Amino acid sequence: MSEQSNLRDKPPASREILCEVRDLSVGGIGLTIRAASGRLPNIATGDRIRVQLTLRDTVAVLEGRLRYPPRVTKDSSVRAGVQFKALGDSREDH
């Protein structure tokens, strides 16, 4: 997402990246990203990321930065890490 985008804005479907969670902590999340329509997403270290976690009827939206350089694995998936933005007193944190 762009630096000017509001975290609450849902991205267009073309920008969504479906991922599998590898590990999750208070500080971040490890992801496995699969190719969609035969193409891996165009992502780079430092990108601002909107993470939506959904479990049954509960949805949490978090902001983070791509921290680990994306690495392509043997099955053409990508392993990456996202460091969450610390919660503060900004309007978007509420």
Side-chain angles (χ1 to χ4, degrees):
M1 65 189 288
S2 75
E3 295 298 325
Q4 296 77 27
S5 296
N6 187 307
L7 185 62
R8 291 188 177 113
D9 295 340
K10 185 170 172 77
S14 63
R15 297 290 297 156
E16 288 185 3
I17 300 171
L18 296 178
C19 307
E20 296 172 16
V21 176
R22 285 192 342 237
D23 54 71
L24 176 65
S25 70
V26 174
I29 189 169
L31 305 170
T32 299
I33 303 167
R34 307 260 181 234
S37 303
R39 297 176 56 183
L40 290 170
N42 184 18
I43 56 175
T45 300
D47 284 352
R48 183 176 179 218
I49 304 288
R50 177 186 187 271
V51 177
Q52 178 176 315
L53 301 172
T54 305
L55 179 63
R56 296 186 195 100
D57 295 331
T58 303
V59 176
V61 177
L62 305 164
E63 180 180 346
R65 295 270 175 195
L66 195 63
R67 287 295 177 216
Y68 301 114
R71 295 186 324 260
V72 179
T73 63
K74 292 178 186 176
D75 67 353
S76 297
S77 63
V78 173
R79 293 183 72 174
V82 175
Q83 180 180 13
F84 295 138
K85 176 182 175 187
L87 292 177
D89 294 326
S90 75
R91 295 177 57 100
E92 285 192 62
D93 291 339
H94 301 286

